[in-house]
Amino acid sequence: MVRLAREYSALPRAVHILCLGTLINRAGTFLVVFLTLWLTDELGLTIREATVCMGAYGFGSLGAALIGGQLADVIGRRVVMLCSLFGGALLLVVLSLQTTLSGVLICTILLAFIAEMYRPACSAMIADVVDSERRPHAYGLMYVAINLGFSIAPVVGGTVLQWVSFRWLFWADALTAACYGLVVVLFIDETKPPAIRCGDSQAEKQVSAWDAAAHILRDRTFVILCAATLCVAMVFMQSMSTMPLYLKMQGIDKAGYGRILAINGAMIAFFQLPMTSLIVRFNRGAVIVLATVINAVGFGLIGLVEGAWMYAGTVVVWTCGEMMAAPLMSSVVSDMAPVQLRARYMGVFTTAFSGANTIAAPLGGIAMEWWGGEWLWAAAFVMGMFAALLYASIYGKLSQGSERHELPNGCE
């Protein structure tokens, strides 16, 4: 325990502050968790319409990841985070006032585009201030903050919904986003690396969006990594889109779903730090492949069991896989990325999750409506195993732990 405390306390102050702000924000993240239930129970939308709205959030997040990463590399991490957090708080209030499908779709896309921009900036900021060897610990600590908040949000939200309206939950979500923004204003400085020199010119310049995109697309290993992560994320997104609807069909109410899903966050809050300290001793390629298999098995089991305790058991299984892979993935990406493209690599990597939200939620809703939940979870297992095969195909690259420093177009 002493060694564990020393490993994490030695991380830079900025990492601890970012984790605190993230904890505050995630503890009030009610929108994503309860969005489909709000749309079906409060606004009277069908399952398909509700999951389409969930997909709209993913569509907005997709643009946020790409543009947020570009802006964070060009104008700075801090300003992007501030615009995202305060702007997202305002749009949460606006969304809570919508009563029509068209209004919800428009506001959801705008909200996702603004509110999710801070993610690649935050990830790049951690990589800016932490060396390669200690990044798994930094990202592991951030993951604890995210999931400790996530373990609080569904329990509080599900309980509060028994007494007050959904609108109050969205306003509380907005307040926590604004609080995170205030933490950044008061305690976080800019960390963006200085501009570089390109070619024979001695003038400093930024790497253009076009050159950055071309460089990323030529990085075959990174493209495969993102494809595999997209598959994993498509499976994981079912826990927040179709899983609450499936459990509702099995007789489990909103509060029960909140308690079951909270196991995921609670496990990560208690066990992620020692898990990270353990897995960094092993080949990270092997850990990522094994974790993906465990994740696939956990989600596949959902369609084979019955009862609240059994569903809780499936959450335990896929959470173990999640804890093994999560702190390593961002570290792998930061090692793959040239320094001047760090936020853009993080942004593209984040699109795997945004793209999954866009695709997986509507597809999951359609599959459950047409063929039933059992087929949905069987498909989730197959998708997860395919992701494991993709990770295995780049096993050697995943196992490397050194940073890359080459830049496009002859930049020094």
Side-chain angles (χ1 to χ4, degrees):
M1 287 299 294
V2 173
R3 177 186 174 187
L4 189 67
R6 187 182 302 116
E7 287 176 342
Y8 290 98
S9 63
L11 291 170
R13 174 175 174 269
V15 174
H16 296 142
I17 294 172
L18 288 172
C19 290
L20 174 61
T22 298
L23 173 61
I24 294 170
N25 188 27
R26 292 291 292 192
T29 302
F30 305 120
L31 172 66
V32 175
V33 176
F34 292 101
L35 180 60
T36 54
L37 292 177
W38 174 58
L39 295 172
T40 54
D41 292 0
E42 191 83 358
L43 301 189
L45 301 184
T46 65
I47 290 176
R48 188 181 304 178
E49 289 171 333
T51 51
V52 165
C53 290
M54 194 77 172
Y57 190 91
F59 179 75
S61 301
L62 196 63
L66 294 173
I67 296 176
Q70 172 69 22
L71 292 176
D73 272 340
V74 174
I75 65 176
R77 291 47 161 139
R78 187 172 183 268
V79 66
V80 171
M81 291 185 68
L82 291 175
C83 291
S84 173
L85 292 166
F86 288 122
L90 177 61
L91 283 166
L92 272 165
V93 175
V94 175
L95 176 62
S96 72
L97 302 176
Q98 303 307 307
T99 57
T100 64
L101 177 59
S102 59
V104 169
L105 281 172
I106 292 171
C107 285
T108 299
I109 293 172
L110 288 175
L111 170 65
F113 181 74
I114 298 299
E116 298 293 327
M117 266 193 189
Y118 84 90
R119 294 188 185 278
C122 181
S123 295
M125 184 175 282
I126 291 175
D128 291 341
V129 300
V130 182
D131 59 77
S132 178
E133 183 179 348
R134 294 193 298 165
R135 280 177 195 154
H137 295 91
Y139 289 119
L141 186 61
M142 174 60 75
Y143 210 65
V144 169
I146 291 171
N147 286 278
L148 181 57
F150 188 68
S151 69
I152 296 170
V155 174
V156 173
T159 303
V160 170
L161 279 178
Q162 308 296 323
W163 305 97
V164 298
S165 70
F166 280 96
R167 184 173 295 177
W168 283 95
L169 288 185
F170 289 173
W171 291 354
D173 198 341
L175 179 62
T176 57
C179 287
Y180 190 4
L182 186 60
V183 168
V184 174
V185 168
L186 295 176
F187 303 110
I188 296 295
D189 297 323
E190 183 56 64
T191 64
K192 184 177 79 72
I196 58 172
R197 292 177 296 168
C198 291
D200 296 328
S201 172
Q202 297 301 307
E204 288 188 342
K205 62 176 291 185
Q206 299 287 347
V207 179
S208 70
W210 178 260
D211 289 338
H215 183 85
I216 290 171
L217 289 174
R218 288 195 301 268
D219 192 338
R220 176 180 173 274
T221 301
F222 180 65
V223 171
I224 293 175
L225 175 77
C226 290
T229 304
L230 172 64
C231 294
V232 173
M234 286 181 66
V235 174
F236 183 79
M237 288 298 174
Q238 301 306 319
S239 68
M240 292 179 285
S241 57
T242 53
M243 187 175 175
L245 302 176
Y246 179 75
L247 293 187
K248 180 181 177 182
M249 294 176 182
Q250 307 306 311
I252 296 174
D253 60 16
K254 292 187 285 290
Y257 160 68
R259 287 191 292 268
I260 290 172
L261 194 59
I263 294 171
N264 171 258
M267 284 183 63
I268 293 172
F270 285 105
F271 303 120
Q272 183 66 73
L273 298 186
M275 174 71 81
T276 302
S277 294
L278 175 64
I279 61 175
V280 294
R281 304 174 190 175
F282 299 94
N283 182 293
R284 69 184 188 184
V287 172
I288 289 171
V289 173
L290 176 61
T292 306
V293 171
I294 293 173
N295 190 273
V297 170
F299 276 97
L301 286 173
I302 295 175
L304 301 177
V305 302
E306 294 181 357
W309 285 104
M310 296 295 285
Y311 292 127
T314 67
V315 174
V316 171
V317 174
W318 57 257
T319 298
C320 288
E322 181 186 0
M323 288 194 297
M324 292 169 64
L328 297 179
M329 296 306 298
S330 293
S331 299
V332 168
V333 175
S334 62
D335 285 347
M336 287 183 176
V339 173
Q340 295 297 331
L341 304 183
R342 187 172 280 158
R344 277 168 278 201
Y345 263 68
M346 290 294 184
V348 173
F349 178 68
T350 303
T351 63
F353 300 95
S354 305
N357 206 349
T358 305
I359 301 168
L363 285 182
I366 292 171
M368 191 164 67
E369 197 170 67
W370 287 2
W371 301 302
E374 291 77 11
W375 284 100
L376 169 66
W377 302 117
F381 170 75
V382 173
M383 181 72 74
M385 295 303 292
F386 178 66
L389 290 175
L390 287 177
Y391 284 133
S393 72
I394 55 171
Y395 175 86
K397 297 293 185 180
L398 291 178
S399 301
Q400 295 175 3
S402 57
E403 290 186 285
R404 294 162 55 186
H405 299 284
E406 75 272 16
L407 289 168
N409 287 353
C411 296
E412 297 179 358

